Amino acid sequence: MDVDQSARSNAQEYFGIKDPDYYEFEAHVFFDDGMTTNSDSERACNIFVKTLVDVIDSAASSIHQASMVIAPPIKSPTPYGARLTWTLPGGNLFFVHVKDKQKIRHKKRWSQVMYMYYLLGYRLMGNSDEGIYMNQSEIGGKKRTPARVNSMGNINDMKSRSKIFRQMDHIQRAQAENTYLLTLDGDIDFKPESVTLLVDRMRKNPKVGAACGRIHPIGTGPMVWYQKFEYAIGHWLQKAAEHMLGCVLCSPGCFSLFRGSSIMDDNVMRTYATKSTEARHYVQYDQGEDRWLCTLLLQQGYKIEYCAAADASTFAPETFREFFNQRRRWIPSTLANMMDLLSDYHRTVIINDNISYLYIMYQAVVTGASLLAPATVILMMAGAVHVVVGGSLYWLWLGLSVGASIFYLIVCFKCKSSTQITVAGYMSTFYAILMLAVTVGIVVQTAQDTWTSPNAMFIIILTGIFLVAGLLHPEEFLCLVPGVLYFLCIPSGFLLLFIYSMTNLNVISWGTREVVIPSEHPPGGANSKANTSIIVTGCDSFKDFLGNCFCCIRHKLSNMFTAEQNRNQAPKKDEIVREIMAELDRIEAGRPDGAGSGYTTPRNLYGSNSDINKDYERNRIGGGMIPQRQESIVKQLNDIHGDGKKSSDGGADKFKDSESVIYARGRSSDDPYYQSVPNEPRIRRDDLVNPYWITEKELKRGPVRYLDNIETQFWQKLIDKYLNPLKQDKGHQDKITSELVSLRNNASFLFFMLNFLWLFIIFLLQIVQDQLKDTLYIAIPRGGDIHEGDEKHFEPLSVAFLVFFCPDYHDTVCFYAVSSLWYLPSHSLINTS
């Protein structure tokens, strides 16, 4: 993106080329829980942040195909933790926000709330609208701003129901309409052309609030192969059908583009910042935050579109355990958001002209089909085994199929999660072998009943749809190959996975990509750590031990000969204070290009250079924070050195320059400024002046820039209003845990009762088939004969289910086939490589 934007900028500036797709760009990365406590009880950046700093030069070199060295990041202490700012080779800014969970609420949804308010509330609107801090009680729950509807039942003006837009001038409204948030996961890979295609979607229709592209799972192993087919069919059919029939219901956060004005709307951004207070909130809000954000956009009247040519790749779960835990979050949150959308369907249809009653009915039917998937799989397995084995043992096979499901249900209720997944793995292997029998059974039944039987017609239609969709995506045609694996895993994906998801609905942990960072300094102190190292590493540690002893002896001898010299060269305390104040005066006056600072003024994304100068002037006039910081530093020097007196350790110098105060470390051995001074007292730290993390060598020695007063106050106000760390209230936690268990029990009971009733209805129809054969059953001739004795009779429910529903992740074949085939010729043939 940096290379592409820089090329467009240079073409316009130096060659006078008018680029209709020109854009301004900056990148923001948010590290959730990015701080850790080290052995000195100081808050330091964790290993992931340091790794990013370490590899950024390599990443730039890989993109530019040349050796690149990027200047060290600008370090900014913030009320939420830390901020690192790089200037990329193309001149664009790259911000890394490191969140300290002791200062700000952590987890993904709150990171999204954080950047929404920062980019749209502060950067775009200049924090001039007090409405963005409206009390949560005014917008929580189901209470929404009423829309203005004309006599025809349509919205007169979508922006007329948004209070925030009435407080904006025309320039701000235009900026909001043309500001886009590209949400990405950390492992996503995409091309700038894909983003341009998503932007084109936004520009064609101002009512499009979000757009998503084609996600390609990457990785190795059978689980990734399974997901390649699943993602391909889901995008070719499901996304395309939703796009044509109404709106896409979910724009995944791994690669989606959101319009700034749609996020800022009354019932979107502030409602999205609602704190979970009930059990269902934890399922709908926190387990499927991307789905919930899209539900809010749809209920506010915006459209969500799909662009098949906007390709992006992301790493998919490679292990069975990680895959099950991922879907354990996705399935309940999808059902919860679907129920929310269906329960408020009348208002949604009125306010959103892209959603009709027919589309709502279609989604209700698809949801019902997904809920009945486990029972359908049980019937399929029992019938297939019966056809292969033969005889009159159909009820035995049906009983065994039901018994296996009940067994796994008991395991999920009684055993821990790891045991549940282990049992599911073994059962999935057994079911995959059994699916081979299903294949043989389908072939045998087709031979017996001819191609006119429902099973044969179902297989022919389903295979034909997949083949046509694959031919219309020639570059992705090989995604159909893992379809064989997907077919063998149907019982695992639609029976075991559903049972696991519903019985673990009360588990609200993320489940995937959770890494336990080992402590760099285990309990027991330095001596304990050294002893452990010697035992583990043997000879190498012994060499290090001898080297440390030698260094200590050399250090002591050096102190003996240089103490007097250091005493004579000690600077005066008042000179240090004057130097520090001069540096702070430069910052307060808004002169970022101070001598030797290495800082360059960042380019403002939303304004001109005059806007930047106004910001610095506003900062200079504001005052208030910098004097407090000056007093804090002076007080630190007074507390540590007491009227300029030398310590009793031989008269070593205690006074260093201003940079040493800012970069002072808790341990003298870690700081080059204090290496010759033994027993250096710890500096009293101010998290907005001299936090420990800015001294870490892994973050490199870049310049330090403080936030201006207004931005500092913005973050403090935002954290106080929405993002304060949640207090660990044991009583509330016990209450939520109990409510989640109750919700799990109720939802599981309803889910399993629906499947039991479906099984029971089919069971009764099988018993009374002789009495109903001439009335309700559908007669289909066998071969070319039309005589009554050569006809095959099928119960109507089974025929209807096979005709309208396919076991392909609750997709409806008829609707999906027609709508996707309408969509594919106009979009998929332009699919990029």
Side-chain angles (χ1 to χ4, degrees), residues 434-456:
L434 200 58
M435 283 300 293
L436 296 176
V438 171
T439 305
V440 175
I442 292 175
V443 173
V444 172
Q445 192 170 17
T446 302
Q448 293 177 351
D449 301 332
T450 73
W451 65 272
T452 58
S453 69
N455 284 336

Side-chain angles (χ1 to χ4, degrees), residues 552-595:
C552 290
I553 296 173
R554 185 183 62 180
H555 182 68
K556 292 295 183 181
L557 293 175
S558 175
N559 286 341
M560 292 174 57
F561 290 106
T562 60
E564 184 65 26
Q565 180 181 0
N566 291 338
R567 188 182 300 112
N568 295 333
Q569 294 178 354
K572 300 297 183 182
K573 174 184 172 182
D574 54 351
E575 295 178 0
I576 300 171
V577 175
R578 280 197 299 270
E579 186 176 353
I580 296 173
M581 288 186 172
E583 179 70 10
L584 294 175
D585 286 339
R586 179 191 65 77
I587 298 173
E588 182 183 15
R591 299 194 302 270
D593 294 315

